[in-house]
Short mmCIF file of all heavy atoms in Angstrom, two decimals:
data_model
loop_
_atom_site.label_atom_id
_atom_site.label_comp_id
_atom_site.label_asym_id
_atom_site.label_seq_id
_atom_site.Cartn_x
_atom_site.Cartn_y
_atom_site.Cartn_z
N VAL A 184 207.65 227.19 -32.93
CA VAL A 184 207.48 225.78 -32.69
C VAL A 184 207.03 225.45 -31.23
O VAL A 184 206.09 224.66 -30.98
CB VAL A 184 208.74 224.89 -33.09
CG1 VAL A 184 208.58 223.51 -32.66
CG2 VAL A 184 209.09 225.02 -34.56
N GLY A 185 207.75 226.13 -30.38
CA GLY A 185 207.30 226.02 -28.84
C GLY A 185 205.86 226.38 -28.58
O GLY A 185 205.24 225.74 -27.78
N VAL A 186 205.48 227.42 -29.19
CA VAL A 186 204.21 227.97 -29.14
C VAL A 186 203.18 227.01 -29.57
O VAL A 186 202.17 226.71 -29.03
CB VAL A 186 203.92 229.35 -29.64
CG1 VAL A 186 202.59 229.83 -29.74
CG2 VAL A 186 204.84 230.52 -28.82
N ALA A 187 203.38 226.49 -30.89
CA ALA A 187 202.55 225.57 -31.47
C ALA A 187 202.41 224.30 -30.58
O ALA A 187 201.30 223.77 -30.45
CB ALA A 187 203.06 225.16 -32.81
N ILE A 188 203.56 223.70 -30.11
CA ILE A 188 203.51 222.53 -29.20
C ILE A 188 202.69 222.84 -27.99
O ILE A 188 201.81 222.03 -27.56
CB ILE A 188 204.90 222.07 -28.84
CG1 ILE A 188 205.63 221.59 -30.13
CG2 ILE A 188 204.90 221.07 -27.71
CD1 ILE A 188 207.04 221.30 -29.96
N GLN A 189 202.90 224.01 -27.23
CA GLN A 189 202.14 224.30 -26.05
C GLN A 189 200.70 224.53 -26.40
O GLN A 189 199.86 224.10 -25.53
CB GLN A 189 202.80 225.59 -25.50
CG GLN A 189 204.13 225.21 -24.76
CD GLN A 189 204.04 224.23 -23.61
OE1 GLN A 189 203.06 224.26 -22.89
NE2 GLN A 189 204.98 223.40 -23.62
N MET A 190 200.32 225.14 -27.45
CA MET A 190 198.93 225.32 -27.75
C MET A 190 198.36 224.03 -28.03
O MET A 190 197.11 223.71 -27.60
CB MET A 190 198.74 226.24 -29.00
CG MET A 190 199.27 227.62 -28.77
SD MET A 190 198.22 228.50 -27.63
CE MET A 190 196.78 228.81 -28.53
N ALA A 191 198.92 223.12 -28.71
CA ALA A 191 198.40 221.78 -28.95
C ALA A 191 198.18 221.10 -27.71
O ALA A 191 197.24 220.32 -27.44
CB ALA A 191 199.25 220.97 -29.92
N LYS A 192 199.17 221.11 -26.93
CA LYS A 192 199.08 220.37 -25.59
C LYS A 192 198.02 220.88 -24.76
O LYS A 192 197.33 220.10 -24.07
CB LYS A 192 200.45 220.66 -24.93
CG LYS A 192 200.55 220.05 -23.38
CD LYS A 192 201.95 220.46 -22.68
CE LYS A 192 201.98 220.09 -21.33
NZ LYS A 192 203.21 220.47 -20.64
N GLY A 193 197.79 222.24 -24.78
CA GLY A 193 196.69 222.94 -23.99
C GLY A 193 195.31 222.43 -24.54
O GLY A 193 194.36 222.18 -23.73
N LEU A 194 195.19 222.25 -25.94
CA LEU A 194 193.93 221.80 -26.47
C LEU A 194 193.64 220.23 -26.16
O LEU A 194 192.50 219.95 -25.87
CB LEU A 194 194.00 221.97 -27.95
CG LEU A 194 193.87 223.40 -28.51
CD1 LEU A 194 194.19 223.53 -30.00
CD2 LEU A 194 192.48 224.04 -28.13
N ILE A 195 194.71 219.55 -26.19
CA ILE A 195 194.66 218.07 -26.01
C ILE A 195 194.38 217.75 -24.51
O ILE A 195 193.55 216.87 -24.12
CB ILE A 195 195.80 217.33 -26.45
CG1 ILE A 195 195.90 217.37 -27.90
CG2 ILE A 195 195.80 215.89 -26.00
CD1 ILE A 195 197.19 216.97 -28.64
N THR A 196 195.07 218.47 -23.67
CA THR A 196 194.95 218.04 -22.21
C THR A 196 193.99 219.01 -21.33
O THR A 196 193.83 218.85 -20.10
CB THR A 196 196.31 218.11 -21.54
OG1 THR A 196 196.82 219.60 -21.57
CG2 THR A 196 197.31 217.27 -22.27
N ASP A 197 193.55 220.05 -21.99
CA ASP A 197 192.62 221.09 -21.24
C ASP A 197 193.49 221.79 -20.20
O ASP A 197 192.83 222.28 -19.22
CB ASP A 197 191.44 220.41 -20.69
CG ASP A 197 190.38 220.13 -21.78
OD1 ASP A 197 190.35 220.86 -22.80
OD2 ASP A 197 189.61 219.20 -21.47
N SER A 198 194.73 221.76 -20.37
CA SER A 198 195.61 222.56 -19.32
C SER A 198 196.04 223.91 -19.95
O SER A 198 196.05 223.96 -21.18
CB SER A 198 196.81 221.69 -18.96
OG SER A 198 197.68 221.49 -20.03
N GLU A 199 196.51 224.76 -19.17
CA GLU A 199 196.97 226.07 -19.81
C GLU A 199 198.36 225.85 -20.29
O GLU A 199 199.28 225.42 -19.74
CB GLU A 199 196.98 227.05 -18.47
CG GLU A 199 197.31 228.49 -19.01
CD GLU A 199 197.08 229.51 -17.77
OE1 GLU A 199 196.36 229.37 -16.95
OE2 GLU A 199 198.09 230.42 -17.90
N PRO A 200 198.42 226.42 -21.63
CA PRO A 200 199.86 226.23 -22.28
C PRO A 200 200.74 227.16 -21.63
O PRO A 200 200.48 228.16 -21.05
CB PRO A 200 199.48 226.63 -23.61
CG PRO A 200 198.29 227.45 -23.62
CD PRO A 200 197.43 226.97 -22.44
N ASP A 201 202.02 226.73 -21.57
CA ASP A 201 203.18 227.53 -21.16
C ASP A 201 203.80 228.32 -22.34
O ASP A 201 204.48 227.68 -23.09
CB ASP A 201 204.40 226.62 -20.58
CG ASP A 201 205.50 227.43 -19.94
OD1 ASP A 201 205.41 228.68 -20.07
OD2 ASP A 201 206.47 226.82 -19.62
N LEU A 202 203.37 229.59 -22.45
CA LEU A 202 203.84 230.39 -23.61
C LEU A 202 204.92 231.23 -23.27
O LEU A 202 205.25 232.21 -24.02
CB LEU A 202 202.58 231.24 -24.09
CG LEU A 202 201.38 230.28 -24.55
CD1 LEU A 202 200.38 231.21 -24.97
CD2 LEU A 202 201.85 229.37 -25.68
N GLY A 203 205.75 230.95 -22.29
CA GLY A 203 207.07 231.78 -21.98
C GLY A 203 206.87 232.59 -20.76
O GLY A 203 205.88 232.53 -20.04
N ASP A 204 207.96 233.23 -20.39
CA ASP A 204 208.11 233.98 -19.14
C ASP A 204 207.67 235.48 -19.38
O ASP A 204 207.77 236.12 -20.44
CB ASP A 204 209.53 234.13 -18.77
CG ASP A 204 210.11 232.71 -18.31
OD1 ASP A 204 209.30 231.97 -17.82
OD2 ASP A 204 211.20 232.55 -18.42
N ASN A 205 206.89 236.00 -18.35
CA ASN A 205 206.52 237.32 -18.46
C ASN A 205 206.82 237.93 -17.11
O ASN A 205 206.74 237.41 -15.95
CB ASN A 205 204.93 237.31 -18.60
CG ASN A 205 204.39 238.63 -18.39
OD1 ASN A 205 204.11 239.24 -17.39
ND2 ASN A 205 204.29 239.38 -19.66
N ASP A 206 207.38 239.21 -17.13
CA ASP A 206 207.90 239.95 -15.95
C ASP A 206 208.03 241.41 -16.24
O ASP A 206 207.96 241.87 -17.36
CB ASP A 206 209.25 239.34 -15.50
CG ASP A 206 209.33 239.50 -14.03
OD1 ASP A 206 208.58 240.31 -13.39
OD2 ASP A 206 210.28 238.97 -13.43
N THR A 207 208.21 242.20 -15.27
CA THR A 207 208.48 243.59 -15.38
C THR A 207 209.85 243.96 -14.77
O THR A 207 210.19 243.45 -13.81
CB THR A 207 207.32 244.47 -14.59
OG1 THR A 207 205.98 244.17 -15.18
CG2 THR A 207 207.63 245.97 -14.79
#
């Protein structure tokens, strides 16, 4: 659900979606 919301937000606002944390 969070990914779907962020993807939709990115499409609507032309901003990069926040798809979670990434680290090593």
Side-chain angles (χ1 to χ4, degrees):
V184 173
V186 168
I188 290 170
Q189 287 296 320
M190 293 297 286
K192 179 180 168 185
L194 289 170
I195 293 168
T196 65
D197 284 332
S198 63
E199 187 173 323
D201 178 7
L202 298 178
D204 293 329
N205 176 273
D206 205 349
T207 299

